[in-house]
Amino acid sequence: CTKDDSESNLILALRWCDHCYCIPNLKTTGRLYRTNLASNTACRAPGSVQACHVIDTILNRVANSCGMTLQQCQEINFYQNGQRTLTGDTLYGNTLQRLWESLLVSSNITERRHEIERFNAQNRWRKRGLGLTPCKYGVVGSW
């Protein structure tokens, strides 16, 4: 029998599911289910990886519905200084936009994406992709 951290992982995932995005009408709920599998070893930032996947999946669907790229949808929804997070914290000293722009330039992401598009057009079965995902991580003393 292994220790199961599912409840604390769920709590943290719900706390951080907004990640770097200001979505004022976001409401979250979570449920735990018992399965026939033993729990896996906890990772650093429990719940954060799951929350990041969920919110970027949502933003990707919104972007597709609006005819924009995921990157455009991400950038439109980035938190700005003075905005309140899902947990009620007010952001000050937010450097996300500056860091994001710096990473876009230093990673040469536009040219790399063009290379990937060319590769994918030439290969029917083998595909490549490239993503850039911001992450807001809160340090919590107790859960």
Side-chain angles (χ1 to χ4, degrees), residues 77-91:
N77 289 290
F78 280 161
Y79 274 118
Q80 304 297 319
N81 281 324
Q83 290 180 322
R84 293 179 68 90
T85 67
L86 189 63
T87 56
D89 300 316
T90 302
L91 290 178

Side-chain angles (χ1 to χ4, degrees), residues 10 13 24 27 37 40-41 67 70-71 77 88 91 94 97 110-111 113 127 130-131:
L10 176 63
K27 303 286 186 251
L37 302 174
N40 290 313
T41 303
L70 173 59
Q71 182 179 328
N77 289 290
L91 290 178
N94 180 2
Q97 191 66 44
T110 303
E111 178 56 35
R113 283 188 173 148
K127 302 294 179 184
L130 178 64

Side-chain angles (χ1 to χ4, degrees), residues 110-123:
T110 303
E111 178 56 35
R112 292 169 71 187
R113 283 188 173 148
H114 289 308
E115 290 173 15
I116 288 168
E117 287 172 10
R118 286 192 292 273
F119 177 88
N120 289 345
Q122 295 171 358
N123 292 276

Side-chain angles (χ1 to χ4, degrees), residues 30-68:
R31 294 195 175 132
L32 296 175
Y33 293 94
R34 182 178 292 249
T35 69
N36 62 339
L37 302 174
S39 62
N40 290 313
T41 303
C43 64
R44 293 196 184 269
S48 183
V49 173
Q50 297 87 339
C52 188
H53 173 70
V54 168
I55 194 65
D56 274 354
T57 299
I58 291 168
L59 285 181
N60 195 39
R61 289 184 180 186
V62 169
N64 288 335
S65 298
C66 295
M68 56 180 33

